[in-house]
Amino acid sequence: MSDRSLQNHFQTNAWVILIGAGLLLMYAPVFISFTETVWATDDQGHGPIVLGVSLWLTWRTRHDVDALPSSGKSIAAAIFLAL
């Protein structure tokens, strides 16, 4: 690996870590609240299982989604998913 590509790799990883830390700080209180209230009941106790399976399925198919051709509407899709 050249010095330039190694530097770009570390910059990319820094952004991923920064965004991940921000999301963790933002959503941790919500998950803690859910574990103490909604997910503690019998009616909604399956919530963490559904969340975990959804994250696992998304992670498992990430390479397939990445291999799809881009249609140029990535920004619109990202905005839609963010809402």
Side-chain angles (χ1 to χ4, degrees):
M1 233 183 216
S2 70
D3 290 338
R4 188 76 162 158
S5 64
L6 190 61
Q7 183 181 10
N8 288 340
H9 178 72
F10 285 127
Q11 286 177 346
T12 302
N13 283 342
W15 277 108
V16 169
I17 291 171
L18 184 65
I19 291 171
L23 288 172
L24 181 66
L25 287 172
M26 187 170 62
Y27 286 113
V30 174
F31 288 127
I32 291 170
S33 173
F34 279 177
T35 59
E36 295 170 349
T37 56
V38 178
W39 289 344
T41 66
D42 288 338
D43 292 336
Q44 299 295 323
H46 63 281
I49 297 169
V50 172
L51 178 64
V53 169
S54 300
L55 291 173
W56 174 70
L57 287 172
T58 303
W59 181 259
R60 195 178 81 166
T61 59
R62 71 190 185 281
H63 296 297
D64 297 335
V65 172
D66 193 36
L68 293 173
S70 176
S71 66
K73 297 182 181 179
S74 300
I75 294 173
I79 292 171
F80 176 74
L81 288 174
L83 295 177

